[in-house]
Amino acid sequence: MRYSFYWFRRSLASLIAALLAASPFDGFLAYGAFALSFAIVFVLYTNLSNMRIQKKYGLNRKEYYYIRDQLQDAKLKLSRLQHLFLKVRSLSSLRQMIELNSLVKRIYSVVKKEPKRFYEIESFFYSHLDSVVELAEKSALLSSKKVKGLDLKQSLIETKETLGDLSKTLEGDLRQVLARDIEHLTIELDVAQRRVKKQEIPFEQDKEGAPENEQRISATTGTRYRRKKR
């Protein structure tokens, strides 16, 4: 949808520019100026947009708008998940909903900030998120029933257990999407530790040399004092 809107916006900008360029001319020259201006603006608009998106996100325009659409769908599903807080009746279900919401929101935020990471956890957007939302809504519906028979209680228990498994799956998705950050952080910590060790070595050498210097100073001072006394 967003990609289609982009095409419309680009065509509209090219059309306006072409009309302005053709307005001073008549007849064949007007048609020529219109066609040439439309083509030039259309191509320039496309190339500049592609360069901007490629530079900022490392994606082409089609990929970028496709991921934007997926994020929009995920945002709607996250909203559905958040609305379930008021429907659950038990404290354990509420804790489970809070945990699921937190995981989904963190994954969504990471991909929204860096759309290219979408390809690292496509299964989250295509499968895991849908399963979480559907089961969470089912769990909220079952827990809202005033009269609970044995079958209903058993179904509720199974649903909660499945949501627990899905929560672990989401944790795996989160670790996967943050793996690059964790790796970079580990490298930065290693570099920082090496720098600290390099700074500690000269400091220790200075400390070891300090007593010798003090002895030399004391000996020199004592010798001078004895000479003055004589």
Side-chain angles (χ1 to χ4, degrees):
M1 184 180 295
R2 292 178 181 270
Y3 188 61
S4 301
F5 176 73
Y6 168 78
W7 272 89
F8 172 76
R9 186 176 59 186
R10 180 171 50 170
S11 301
L12 182 61
S14 302
L15 179 61
I16 293 173
L19 289 172
L20 291 174
S23 59
F25 303 100
D26 294 323
F28 181 76
L29 288 177
Y31 287 113
F34 178 88
L36 183 62
S37 301
F38 186 91
I40 291 174
V41 173
F42 192 86
V43 171
L44 285 175
Y45 194 110
T46 302
N47 290 339
L48 289 174
S49 178
N50 288 346
M51 289 172 60
R52 181 181 63 83
I53 293 174
Q54 181 68 36
K55 182 179 180 181
K56 188 173 183 179
Y57 301 108
L59 300 166
N60 62 45
R61 186 182 64 256
K62 189 173 183 179
E63 289 175 330
Y64 172 71
Y65 281 104
Y66 174 76
I67 294 172
R68 285 278 297 272
D69 287 338
Q70 294 298 319
L71 285 170
Q72 185 63 29
D73 291 341
K75 186 177 181 180
L76 295 175
K77 293 169 186 175
L78 177 59
S79 179
R80 286 167 56 189
L81 201 59
Q82 290 173 339
H83 288 157
L84 297 177
F85 285 141
L86 301 176
K87 296 182 180 181
V88 295
R89 297 293 182 89
S90 65
L91 186 60
S92 60
S93 297
L94 180 60
R95 282 199 298 265
Q96 191 174 53
M97 291 298 173
I98 292 173
E99 182 181 1
L100 290 170
N101 269 276
S102 177
L103 289 169
V104 172
K105 193 172 183 179
R106 289 181 67 185
I107 295 171
Y108 171 82
S109 299
V110 171
V111 178
K112 183 181 179 181
K113 185 178 180 181
E114 295 185 49
K116 195 174 182 179
R117 297 195 181 195
F118 169 84
Y119 295 110
E120 298 175 10
I121 50 167
E122 291 182 77
S123 56
F124 167 79
F125 290 93
Y126 295 147
S127 174
H128 301 164
L129 182 56
D130 289 330
S131 299
V132 167
V133 174
E134 290 173 4
L135 279 175
E137 289 177 339
K138 180 182 177 182
S139 177
L141 178 64
L142 293 175
S143 63
S144 65
K145 300 291 184 181
K146 294 182 179 180
V147 180
K148 294 183 176 66
L150 292 177
D151 293 340
L152 186 61
K153 288 182 179 179
Q154 183 62 32
S155 180
L156 184 59
I157 291 172
E158 292 175 356
T159 303
K160 286 183 178 180
E161 290 176 350
T162 306
L163 281 174
D165 295 336
L166 283 172
S167 179
K168 294 178 181 178
T169 301
L170 293 183
E171 289 175 359
D173 290 338
L174 182 60
R175 283 194 298 270
Q176 185 174 346
V177 79
L178 293 177
R180 195 192 314 167
D181 293 335
I182 295 172
E183 183 179 355
H184 289 170
L185 180 60
T186 303
I187 294 173
E188 290 176 1
L189 287 173
D190 290 340
V191 172
Q193 288 174 355
R194 290 174 185 174
R195 288 177 180 173
V196 170
K197 288 180 180 179
K198 287 181 180 179
Q199 292 174 355
E200 287 178 350
I201 292 174
F203 180 73
E204 291 176 356
Q205 291 176 349
D206 291 341
K207 287 180 66 178
E208 291 175 357
E212 296 179 2
N213 294 333
E214 290 177 359
Q215 291 176 1
R216 291 175 184 174
I217 293 170
S218 300
T220 305
T221 305
T223 303
R224 290 177 180 174
Y225 176 75
R226 285 194 295 271
R227 287 177 180 175
K228 288 181 180 180
K229 192 173 182 180
R230 290 176 184 176

